[in-house]
Amino acid sequence: MKEIVVLSGKGGTGKTSLTASFAALANNAVLADCDVDASDLHILTQPEVQLTTPFISGNLAKIIPYECNGCNLVSHKRCIQHCKFNAIKTTDDGLAIDPALCEGCGVCVYLCPNNAVKFNPRNCGEWYSSKTRHGPMIHAKLGIAAENSGRLVTLVRSEAKKAAQQINADLILVDGPPGIGCPVIASITGSDCVVVITEPTVSGIHDLKRILELTNHFKIMTFVVVNRFDINRDNTTTIKKICFASDAKYVGKISSTDEMTQAQIAGKSIIEYKKCKAGKEIEDIWFHISTWIN
């Protein structure tokens, strides 16, 4: 079983469209959307949710008003003094913790002389097991202002592997998060290869270099695709040179086309939407990648 992770330096580069296209071309695959902060692979795959599970991660402190006496002013509300995140405020009803500011460190629980602070598990979102026309799909939604996205990404990948084992799948296709942060590292660690989709712009080249440094650090086979290559052919040539000078493999380019947007509006990948030049280019890219990893 192989695991392919599709990455980009920023949102809007074409990462999800490319992943959905690969899903339409692959056989016997499981899909995983690891862009948990802003997942949108479901727009193009239209999954039917089979199972919804809460994502519990970390803890959230809560003060019980009738058990809190403000430390009788002797310790001068030691929880406020020692909270490094300014999450504890004085209200008309006493002390209260702002859940958006609480980092779940537990210092208020430890210091409270009256045991007036409860430390409950924090619900940070949901993850889903679904079926699509391309096969099983594991995806998730991180709660508003919730953290631990890296942990949720790891959970999604783990459940995708379980789903792949159940159906004896040959491939796991991962729509990864943009950038190079913690969620990206959680997405690519232990994967078989990474496909980076970039654009021929100054920022695109800069982002590509950062991602290549990351994949090189983890020694992961890396393929590079240039989307909308014809908006700046000179920069496309520069990207090719960057690939040739590194261990990354340049595997193709995709033309600018309104049909890609039309396919998104229709809730389909460009492969499913209609025969066109961009679709043929993606088919060629997929052929090169599948040849390398098999």
Side-chain angles (χ1 to χ4, degrees):
M1 183 195 310
K2 301 291 186 179
E3 185 177 15
I4 301 176
V5 184
V6 183
L7 298 180
S8 63
K10 66 175 184 63
T13 307
K15 171 175 58 63
T16 298
S17 294
L18 187 64
T19 305
S21 296
F22 286 170
L25 293 167
N27 294 315
N28 196 23
V30 170
L31 310 182
D33 190 346
C34 287
D35 190 1
V36 297
D37 289 287
S39 58
D40 52 14
L41 184 59
H42 62 278
I43 296 173
L44 301 182
T45 57
Q46 301 172 351
E48 179 182 334
V49 177
Q50 305 292 298
L51 177 68
T52 300
T53 307
F55 171 55
I56 307 298
S57 183
N59 295 83
L60 179 65
K62 182 179 181 180
I63 295 175
I64 309 302
Y66 59 83
E67 294 184 3
C68 174
N69 63 3
C71 299
N72 291 325
L73 301 180
V74 175
S75 301
H76 306 292
K77 302 173 184 176
R78 62 178 69 176
C79 58
I80 291 181
Q81 289 182 358
H82 293 278
C83 180
K84 301 298 184 183
F85 308 102
N86 297 317
I88 305 174
K89 310 294 181 184
T90 301
T91 68
D92 293 339
D93 298 324
L95 299 182
I97 296 176
D98 185 343
L101 296 178
C102 177
E103 290 288 329
C105 68
V107 68
C108 54
V109 180
Y110 177 77
L111 291 174
C112 181
N114 298 313
N115 295 319
V117 186
K118 304 305 177 185
F119 206 41
N120 300 318
R122 186 194 293 253
N123 189 329
C124 293
E126 296 177 330
W127 66 270
Y128 314 98
S129 176
S130 303
K131 65 178 183 179
T132 74
R133 59 187 180 275
H134 305 305
M137 175 172 165
I138 307 297
H139 48 127
K141 181 179 181 182
L142 194 66
I144 297 173
E147 297 189 5
N148 292 318
S149 56
R151 184 177 294 179
L152 181 53
V153 166
T154 300
L155 174 62
V156 169
R157 288 184 64 199
S158 175
E159 292 298 327
K161 289 179 181 178
K162 291 178 184 178
Q165 290 169 353
Q166 289 176 357
I167 67 170
N168 197 25
D170 299 320
L171 180 67
I172 299 175
L173 276 172
V174 178
D175 184 10
I180 59 169
C182 173
V184 175
I185 294 173
S187 294
I188 68 175
T189 304
S191 65
D192 293 288
C193 72
V194 165
V195 179
V196 184
I197 182 166
T198 187
E199 293 176 320
T201 61
V202 173
S203 62
I205 292 172
H206 175 264
D207 291 342
L208 173 63
K209 290 179 179 178
R210 294 198 308 164
I211 294 176
L212 292 183
E213 288 177 3
L214 183 67
T215 58
N216 181 63
H217 173 78
F218 285 100
K219 296 180 173 58
I220 300 174
M221 181 185 296
T222 305
F223 304 100
V224 176
V225 176
V226 183
N227 194 19
R228 295 184 276 269
F229 81 95
D230 41 5
I231 64 174
N232 191 318
R233 295 174 184 272
D234 290 340
N235 280 343
T236 297
T237 300
T238 299
I239 290 172
K240 290 181 182 179
K241 292 178 180 178
I242 291 172
C243 294
F244 295 150
S246 69
D247 292 330
K249 298 175 176 61
Y250 172 80
V251 288
K253 57 186 185 295
I254 305 171
S255 303
S256 302
T257 174
D258 292 337
E259 289 158 330
M260 190 73 78
T261 303
Q262 294 166 6
Q264 293 170 349
I265 294 172
K268 297 179 179 180
S269 68
I270 189 68
I271 300 299
E272 301 168 284
Y273 183 65
K274 67 183 300 186
K275 295 289 184 180
C276 63
K277 183 178 180 182
K280 181 60 170 64
E281 290 166 341
I282 293 175
E283 289 179 2
D284 291 341
I285 290 167
W286 176 247
F287 173 79
H288 289 305
I289 293 173
S290 58
T291 299
W292 272 102
I293 64 174
N294 289 330

